[in-house]
Amino acid sequence: MSDASSVGVDAAGQPRSGVSRGGRPRDPALDESIIKATRRRLVLDGYSDMSLGDIAADAGVSRPTIYRRWANKLELTIDALDWGFRRQQDSYPAAPFEGMPAEEAFTEAVRRVDPCYFNPDAMVLMGNFMGETLRTPELLDHLKERAVEPRVRLVEQVLAGLQDRGEVRRDLDRHTVATLCFGAYYSAFLRGEHHRDDLAEKVVAVLWPAITA
């Protein structure tokens, strides 16, 4: 399974072999069923309380079937996260930022920084992984590397491009603006504002007059 949409990548984000740990060919449909069951259990139970037995039951497989594919719960969880990261990337509109009007490009970048862009349960997962910082720091580290930083850097990169076009201020602190945009989604969640379909537009409406050239 070497294509970008397949299930099973190692901790460095590289595709795993299409052969199971027991030397048998991997079944992509079965792998995906296990991955989806894992993602559901992460939301319902949290990482610490999630068991491979429950995942196996939800996926309709045996525990040995899981162990032939993943060495432990952490490895399976990281693959389940990477599955979601790839699906989010695949869900983005194809239109390039370079061809968008300046404010529209910034708005689209802010929209993509939403942790729930693809997965409506992402905030629950984020909270759970932050709570695992002392017990399993690898989870939050992986989340920051594969999900948080790429999204926030996208906002910074779009702003840099708009600076080159003379659309936003040359002295703009791109890092802080991107951090504010990312934090807006957490603030809305914690304030109980769960319908955030227009949050990107609202954030841009406030920020744009201050950053435009």
Side-chain angles (χ1 to χ4, degrees):
M1 294 183 298
S2 59
D3 68 278
S5 64
S6 60
V7 173
V9 296
D10 62 22
Q14 299 301 313
R16 298 189 194 281
S17 165
V19 177
S20 72
R21 296 171 62 84
R24 302 176 183 177
R26 295 272 289 259
D27 179 351
L30 188 58
D31 286 3
E32 187 159 308
S33 177
I34 296 169
I35 287 291
K36 288 180 176 179
T38 302
R39 290 173 65 85
R40 176 175 177 271
R41 280 292 165 184
L42 282 169
V43 173
L44 294 177
D45 303 335
Y47 179 78
S48 291
D49 293 335
M50 180 180 73
S51 73
L52 293 181
D54 286 338
I55 294 170
D58 290 352
V61 301
S62 66
R63 284 170 60 96
T65 298
I66 294 178
Y67 279 117
R68 283 197 293 269
R69 290 160 169 77
W70 293 277
N72 51 53
K73 184 168 71 170
L74 178 61
E75 186 179 289
L76 172 55
T77 299
I78 286 177
D79 269 9
L81 292 175
D82 287 341
W83 183 93
F85 302 155
R86 292 193 299 274
R87 291 305 186 279
Q88 175 161 330
Q89 290 285 338
D90 292 344
S91 70
Y92 288 152
F97 285 99
E98 294 80 6
M100 296 179 184
E103 189 172 352
E104 180 183 334
F106 182 43
T107 303
E108 177 60 25
V110 174
R111 188 176 294 115
R112 295 187 192 186
V113 87
D114 181 2
C116 297
Y117 185 101
F118 169 75
N119 178 13
D121 296 317
M123 286 293 187
V124 176
L125 292 176
M126 287 278 200
N128 178 248
F129 294 156
M130 284 189 280
E132 289 289 336
T133 301
L134 297 181
R135 292 184 293 269
T136 318
E138 300 94 327
L139 284 174
L140 189 58
D141 289 343
H142 189 74
L143 200 66
K144 288 189 291 187
E145 177 187 348
R146 299 298 304 279
V148 175
E149 284 302 320
R151 291 169 179 161
V152 179
R153 280 200 305 269
L154 174 65
V155 177
E156 295 180 25
Q157 290 163 0
V158 168
L159 289 172
L162 295 179
Q163 284 178 319
D164 292 340
R165 288 163 48 178
E167 302 277 8
V168 300
R169 290 167 32 197
R170 295 296 304 176
D171 63 344
L172 182 68
D173 182 350
R174 299 191 302 268
H175 177 88
T176 298
V177 172
T179 301
L180 288 170
C181 294
F182 188 54
Y185 290 97
Y186 286 86
S187 297
F189 179 84
L190 292 172
R191 297 187 73 182
E193 299 168 4
H194 301 304
H195 299 289
R196 303 185 302 276
D197 293 343
D198 61 346
L199 184 57
E201 286 79 6
K202 290 179 177 179
V203 169
V204 172
V206 172
L207 292 177
W208 188 251
I211 70 174
T212 188

